[in-house]
Amino acid sequence: MNRSNEIRVMVTGVGIVCALGNNYTDVIKALGSGKSGITSTPEWQQYGISSLISGKSSIDENTALNSVSTELRYCMSETVKFCASAALDAVADAGIDKSLLQNNKAA
């Protein structure tokens, strides 16, 4: 393969999923209002964990991952769902058409 013919693209968008929110706008609002994503996690005590606080993230995968097939979502771990949601938001924020991701040359 001749690498000089390759086209390289950098996504310059923002995508985030964290304990403060599931998109850039919500996270910025939470940070601005001084909200903390840290919560009590008493169920950890049964496992002998001494620190019972955590930052929990959750997403509505039907909304955040609506462009991902149900079959594929079923096979995804929670971590992969978070990453995929943030990546899709970054692509959208960058103004990149999601149809371009269907190309086998997109990574």
Side-chain angles (χ1 to χ4, degrees):
M1 175 186 273
N2 184 351
R3 291 200 171 266
S4 64
N5 293 333
E6 288 185 14
I7 297 173
R8 295 180 184 246
V9 176
M10 180 181 290
V11 175
T12 57
V14 176
I16 187 169
V17 174
C18 71
L20 290 174
N22 295 327
N23 59 59
Y24 180 77
T25 302
D26 290 349
V27 171
I28 294 301
K29 280 186 202 175
L31 287 170
S33 68
K35 180 181 174 188
S36 172
I38 304 302
T39 58
S40 174
T41 315
E43 63 269 22
W44 285 2
Q45 191 169 20
Q46 67 183 333
Y47 302 110
I49 298 173
S50 59
S51 175
L52 303 179
I53 58 172
S54 66
K56 295 180 184 178
S57 297
S58 64
I59 59 171
D60 175 1
E61 64 185 70
N62 292 320
T63 302
L65 299 173
N66 64 354
S67 64
V68 177
S69 73
T70 304
E71 294 82 11
L72 186 56
R73 278 186 269 155
Y74 179 77
C75 298
M76 298 167 86
S77 69
E78 288 299 305
T79 303
V80 171
K81 289 175 184 176
F82 295 152
C83 294
S85 178
L88 289 169
D89 284 351
V91 166
D93 187 56
I96 297 171
D97 186 341
K98 288 182 189 175
S99 68
L100 293 175
L101 299 178
Q102 302 304 316
N103 182 322
N104 66 357
K105 293 184 179 182

